[in-house]
């Protein structure tokens, strides 16, 4: 899988359905067809702009690496393995692994001072007046964390792979490249936690696929995923299952249809009807967790009543 797909483990870390999707290595094209959602694509104009900027940025990489990482280099050198010496290196189509999963980026660019290897990432979203889109930078950080984790697994000395990367972006609305350092250590730690949970509680059908069995298709695939609970979070809109999960939440009357904040507040109370009953004292809490949720919901209901004038 490419780093962007692997980074999905950090988009919605509390969602068991997304974990199951990645653990079983479900083909996203097959999934899109099964749930009736066409896979997303990129416009030809955007692809052309990406290619143009990547070409311009690559020509400026030695200068940017020297300025921001303090590593003297003159040109990028092609390599067929993890480099060991100082310089700027381009490793094309490396075959890496992260845990049990393959990671197959098109290329990995690394800057080395002879001791540490720093990933270099080129992206085409802009830095406008010194600021880039925080959501896009966060997405890039998750993908770089995948590369760092996979390189550390492949390296004889994992500590040589630095979590401090160089991110190269276009400035304002032109194509002039600028760079900044990006520390992805927190994302690498979160990735390790996500991988530890990757194969837990998989349905039998998906477990067999994860172990090399036949790939599920159509209704069998949708049915297997339905056996695993979904949980809404901030990263859900970027997930290929988003519209499918949202429709299911609306049909079931799930709290999640009100958004991630409501789902996080209600915790194990998954149905909106049950949450409203707890808020109004019409449902007996089951266990300590529901007691705490009921108290919080009751306070919220009272505050709402005061704000609207329905409670004296």
């Amino acid at each position: 899988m490419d780093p962007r797909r692997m980074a999905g483990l950090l988009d919605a870390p509390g969602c068991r359905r997304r974990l199951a999707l990645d653990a079983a290595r479900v083909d996203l094209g097959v999934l899109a067809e099964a749930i009736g959602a066409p896979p997303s694509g990129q416009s030809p104009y955007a692809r052309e702009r990406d290619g143009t900027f990547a070409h311009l940025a690559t020509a400026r990489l030695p200068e940017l690496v020297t300025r921001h990482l303090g590593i003297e280099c003159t040109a990028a050198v092609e390599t067929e393995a993890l480099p060991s010496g100082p310089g700027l290196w381009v490793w094309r189509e490396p075959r890496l692994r992260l845990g049990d999963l393959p990671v197959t980026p098109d290329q990995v660019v690394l800057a080395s001072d002879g001791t540490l290897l720093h990933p270099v990432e080129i992206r085409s979203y802009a830095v406008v007046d010194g600021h880039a889109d925080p959501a896009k930078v966060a997405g890039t950080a998750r993908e770089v964390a995948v590369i760092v984790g996979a390189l550390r697994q492949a390296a004889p000395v994992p500590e040589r792979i630095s979590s401090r990367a160089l991110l190269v972006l276009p400035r304002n609305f032109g194509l002039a490249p600028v760079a900044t350092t990006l520390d992805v250590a927190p994302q690498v730690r979160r990735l390790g936690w996500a991988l530890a949970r990757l194969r837990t509680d998989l349905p039998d059908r998906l477990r067999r696929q994860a172990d090399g069995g036949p790939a599920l298709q159509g209704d069998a695939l949708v049915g297997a995923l339905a056996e695993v609970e979904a949980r809404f979070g901030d990263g859900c809109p970027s997930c290929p299952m988003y519209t499918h999960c949202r429709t299911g939440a609306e049909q079931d009357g799930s709290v999640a249809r009100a958004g991630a904040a409501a789902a996080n507040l209600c915790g194990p109370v998954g149905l909106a009807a049950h949450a409203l009953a707890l808020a109004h004292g019409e449902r007996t809490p089951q266990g300590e967790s529901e007691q705490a949720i009921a108290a919080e919901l009751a306070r919220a209901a009272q505050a709402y009543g005061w704000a609207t004038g329905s409670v004296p």
Side-chain angles (χ1 to χ4, degrees):
M1 293 190 287
D2 63 26
R4 179 167 297 180
R5 171 74 186 275
M6 288 290 293
L9 294 173
L10 300 180
D11 282 342
C15 181
R16 291 174 55 212
R17 183 174 295 175
R18 179 56 192 259
L19 288 174
L21 187 73
D22 292 319
R25 307 178 197 179
V26 172
D27 184 282
L28 295 184
V30 172
L31 174 66
E33 182 179 353
I35 63 178
S40 59
Q42 191 179 33
S43 72
Y45 171 77
R47 287 196 295 269
E48 181 179 355
R49 185 179 187 278
D50 288 354
T52 301
F53 177 68
H55 178 76
L56 293 173
T58 299
R60 292 280 304 279
L61 275 186
E63 173 193 341
L64 295 171
V65 166
T66 300
R67 183 187 307 167
H68 293 277
L69 295 177
I71 297 173
E72 295 288 341
C73 54
T74 54
V77 178
E78 298 271 347
T79 180
E80 296 182 356
L82 190 68
S84 56
L88 182 61
W89 305 90
V90 179
W91 187 5
R92 300 197 185 278
E93 297 184 355
R95 291 296 179 261
L96 304 169
R97 300 191 71 82
L98 189 57
D100 295 330
L101 299 177
V103 181
T104 54
D106 293 333
Q107 67 177 28
V108 174
V109 181
L110 296 163
S112 173
D113 59 4
T115 302
L116 293 176
L117 286 161
H118 300 269
V120 178
E121 195 71 18
I122 299 172
R123 293 300 169 93
S124 61
Y125 54 86
V127 176
V128 180
D129 293 333
H131 299 281
D133 185 332
K136 292 181 179 179
V137 174
T140 301
R142 291 190 288 266
E143 293 176 40
V144 173
V146 171
I147 296 294
V148 170
L151 288 172
R152 285 180 176 176
Q153 187 168 320
V157 183
E159 293 76 15
R160 288 193 63 223
I161 311 300
S162 174
S163 62
R164 183 169 173 254
L166 186 69
L167 177 59
V168 181
L169 304 171
R171 182 174 56 204
N172 296 329
F173 302 103
L175 293 176
V178 294
T180 185
T181 56
L182 182 66
D183 192 351
V184 299
Q187 290 80 3
V188 173
R189 289 192 293 269
R190 287 177 53 214
L191 185 63
W193 174 82
L195 287 171
R197 299 179 60 246
L198 191 59
R199 293 174 64 88
T200 61
D201 301 327
L202 273 182
D204 288 341
R205 288 181 289 182
L206 285 176
R207 187 176 297 279
R208 287 194 292 270
Q209 178 169 324
D211 291 335
L216 296 177
Q217 308 282 335
D219 292 341
L221 174 58
V222 176
L225 289 171
E227 297 175 26
V228 188
E229 179 186 3
R231 183 170 181 81
F232 280 86
D234 294 338
C236 284
S238 65
C239 176
M241 291 283 290
Y242 174 60
T243 55
H244 177 75
C245 295
R246 183 183 60 187
T247 300
E250 291 173 349
Q251 292 173 346
D252 296 340
S254 170
V255 171
R257 67 181 178 172
N264 291 335
L265 171 63
C266 294
V269 182
L271 297 180
H274 291 171
L276 289 172
L278 284 173
H280 297 294
E282 298 167 359
R283 172 182 165 88
T284 302
Q286 306 294 315
E288 293 182 1
S289 61
E290 282 202 9
Q291 289 177 3
I293 292 168
E296 188 70 23
L297 290 173
R299 286 192 292 271
Q302 188 176 41
Y304 178 78
W306 289 335
T308 59
S310 58
V311 174

